[in-house]
Amino acid sequence: MSKRKPIEYAKTSPAVRAVFDDIKTRRKVKDVNNFWKYLAHDPATLKRTWESVKEVMADGALSPLVKEMIYVAVSVTNRCRYCIASHTTSARKAGMTEEMFGELMAVVGMANETNRLANGYRVPIDAAFD
Amino acid sequence: MSKRKPIEYAKTSPAVRAVFDDIKTRRKVKDVNNFWKYLAHDPATLKRTWESVKEVMADGALSPLVKEMIYVAVSVTNRCRYCIASHTTSARKAGMTEEMFGELMAVVGMANETNRLANGYRVPIDAAFD
Amino acid sequence: MSKRKPIEYAKTSPAVRAVFDDIKTRRKVKDVNNFWKYLAHDPATLKRTWESVKEVMADGALSPLVKEMIYVAVSVTNRCRYCIASHTTSARKAGMTEEMFGELMAVVGMANETNRLANGYRVPIDAAFD
Amino acid sequence: MSKRKPIEYAKTSPAVRAVFDDIKTRRKVKDVNNFWKYLAHDPATLKRTWESVKEVMADGALSPLVKEMIYVAVSVTNRCRYCIASHTTSARKAGMTEEMFGELMAVVGMANETNRLANGYRVPIDAAFD
Amino acid sequence: MSKRKPIEYAKTSPAVRAVFDDIKTRRKVKDVNNFWKYLAHDPATLKRTWESVKEVMADGALSPLVKEMIYVAVSVTNRCRYCIASHTTSARKAGMTEEMFGELMAVVGMANETNRLANGYRVPIDAAFD
Amino acid sequence: MSKRKPIEYAKTSPAVRAVFDDIKTRRKVKDVNNFWKYLAHDPATLKRTWESVKEVMADGALSPLVKEMIYVAVSVTNRCRYCIASHTTSARKAGMTEEMFGELMAVVGMANETNRLANGYRVPIDAAFD
């Protein structure tokens, strides 16, 4: 048995509940998504991850939309099914259109292809890029 | 001996030269970078890759800046040294500031981390994301 | 049709049965798990893999518990669902507590993150590490 | 030009210096290693990463030695040259012998191999592991 | 909601239908497989990808059988479940026997293992290979 | 100091020397390449890996040429620089022409691209492939 169960709000310890409450307030959602309910098995990682996500994904030099699309690009490259599903949803909420999604996938596909062409041909870095 | 040499402009066949000329004209550069000089060993792949890159990286629903940053995100995740160097340079030319680069790296790092947390905790996809 | 079926004990050839018997004896289990029932389609790979696993996972300078946790760390990084499930189970049998699992995941997540920060910032190796 | 330069202690801002000082004190080193000198280009990521590393790598249910070996396992799987070099060094300082290193590599190699066998044979997860 | 639906033939635009018709004719199939029905959400990527696949997978210096097995090798390494299933099927149609599949998996597993041993031991490239 | 030194033939223990001798005889080379000189730090892994490589890479249902190209495909996907260099050399010795190499790279690039398109579009496996 390697599968855990999600920890639901009603059964959280005070430390976990404080994080869940902050997620719900910030994101204006009624319940937190499964990712947090599973991380709740380790309250220290739950708290550290949420604090980091809040800081990293905040509006800044890059918009939340661009950040969510970068998240999708990484998750697709790594094939994390959960993260592809959740961050595609977040990117849409942040304004990603179907056309943007198509272009995002096209760039991700092309980068994964040319990464391997550069590896296989053992291309040395140009002085201009170094 | 597994290392190839770059094919310099003066030694290109007409088919390769036509691609090199198009790259130079479109990008307003005096010479093509090493990636193309190595792909020139296979003129069909050179031409197909260049035509695809032109189409995929063109201004569209996503700007060239956003596309270059997505390229960097994938290349950093895959650790393609050549592509990290060349596309970081391209992203800067397209307007990426140091602050944007910092945020880009922060998102890429975070996504690579949470991808593994989702894998390891075997988090099921929420109905709302499916 | 690309899916194979598992080869059950009753239908094994003598060569496969000898490996299955050794697995059952060593691990004190009534039946081998699916991984071996599928590898049984290629008896040479079945035997070579089992002999290697026996040697590599044996108690040595590192304990079976530490080895199983390293197995989980790699499988989570590569997102091999089967191996995450099976080796998390093995790690627990070898003594991994929930607290240890939480710390294991935290380290795996952090390493995947800083691997990419090091890639993206193109950090050169310090003389002291070389 | 995509390469940054390391930010040396003498040229740090107060925010960066505070982190560098904490690293130097905690680790009893005269200077921080390159990873931190490059992250210093983004003080927020520098601080967040250091605080996370401190928390995650602290002695706990798993010892610093085991944690460093897990770090190496992930870095080798991802081929992060910097992290392989730095965390192999840290693991040795924490007590890793050459024999332990050999067993660590053997497990990492084996896990990367069987991960792909499980993928390719499309092995379904046993009920006992689920 | 991040899941798209496949675009069925009867509902395709003329641009998509032209690609679908070419796939059906070339491959002598009654319907295109899901990969194309999903790419149809982005007609430009659908067309570019199909034209590239046609060119790359054509009989040449390497046979279609060898090319399909290389496709499987990459997909297994990356753990792309869809591509493992579809290209294992294609490889079989092109003549891959069960024995060949077994050897293919054995090489893929071994390469993934020794790739990590080379990384972890930080083996420098021999002059003879450079 | 994390770098090891290669163990040269003259300094090998009898157990290591027996493996080195077998490699030299089988491959008709005057000296073993660096990979084996580094694995020699762990004689058990050296011997196990060499025995496995001998078995897996032997002529069988797939030719040594095809096996070496599959090795290159995996190594390029994982970006293992050492393995790309050494197995490209081996593939050439086994008969790989420049044209074959070009097609190999084209397939590897394309597979890495479509793997991500399948991931990102979350394409379900067709019944016909399952």
Side-chain angles (χ1 to χ4, degrees), chain D:
Chain D
M1 219 285 302
S2 89
K3 255 188 192 153
R4 263 156 224 82
K5 296 219 175 313
I7 296 182
E8 300 295 342
Y9 188 81
K11 299 201 172 172
T12 50
S13 65
V16 167
R17 183 164 301 196
V19 176
F20 278 23
D21 281 338
D22 192 34
I23 297 173
K24 288 164 68 177
T25 304
R26 294 252 172 184
R27 296 191 164 172
K28 292 169 191 147
V29 288
K30 286 193 189 160
D31 195 11
V32 305
N33 52 298
N34 281 337
F35 181 70
W36 308 109
K37 291 182 185 176
Y38 278 75
L39 280 197
H41 286 279
D42 180 353
T45 293
L46 173 71
K47 186 173 165 52
R48 188 180 63 251
T49 305
W50 168 243
E51 295 299 334
S52 294
V53 164
K54 252 198 309 191
E55 183 176 317
V56 168
M57 300 304 284
D59 200 5
L62 300 179
S63 67
L65 169 59
V66 168
K67 288 182 173 183
E68 288 293 347
M69 290 193 297
I70 291 165
Y71 226 110
V72 172
V74 170
S75 304
V76 164
T77 298
N78 287 331
R79 193 192 145 70
C80 174
R81 289 184 69 242
Y82 185 83
C83 306
I84 294 169
S86 61
H87 286 278
T88 300
T89 306
S90 308
R92 281 189 180 136
K93 279 189 195 160
M96 182 178 72
T97 63
E98 275 302 280
E99 209 184 345
M100 287 176 187
F101 176 79
E103 296 192 9
L104 170 60
M105 285 305 101
V107 177
V108 168
M110 182 62 42
N112 272 290
E113 180 174 34
T114 59
N115 280 191
R116 271 62 184 210
L117 293 175
N119 290 349
Y121 280 93
R122 304 180 62 191
V123 185
I125 298 179
D126 302 73
F129 299 154
D130 227 3

Side-chain angles (χ1 to χ4, degrees), chain E residues 2 15 20 24 30 32 45 57 79 113 123:
Chain E
S2 89
F20 278 23
K24 288 164 70 176
K30 286 191 187 160
V32 304
T45 293
M57 300 305 283
R79 195 192 143 71
E113 180 175 35
V123 185

Side-chain angles (χ1 to χ4, degrees), chain E residues 70-115:
Chain E
I70 292 165
Y71 226 110
V72 171
V74 171
S75 304
V76 164
T77 299
N78 286 332
R79 195 192 143 71
C80 174
R81 288 185 69 244
Y82 185 83
C83 306
I84 293 170
S86 61
H87 286 278
T88 300
T89 306
S90 309
R92 280 188 180 138
K93 279 190 194 159
M96 182 178 71
T97 62
E98 275 302 280
E99 209 184 346
M100 287 176 186
F101 177 78
E103 296 191 10
L104 170 60
M105 285 305 101
V107 177
V108 169
M110 182 63 41
N112 272 290
E113 180 175 35
T114 59
N115 280 191

Side-chain angles (χ1 to χ4, degrees), chain B residues 69-80:
Chain B
M69 289 193 298
I70 292 165
Y71 226 109
V72 171
V74 170
S75 304
V76 164
T77 298
N78 287 331
R79 195 191 144 71
C80 174

Side-chain angles (χ1 to χ4, degrees), chain B residues 29-41:
Chain B
V29 287
K30 287 192 186 158
D31 195 10
V32 304
N33 52 299
N34 281 337
F35 181 69
W36 307 109
K37 292 182 185 176
Y38 279 75
L39 279 198
H41 285 279

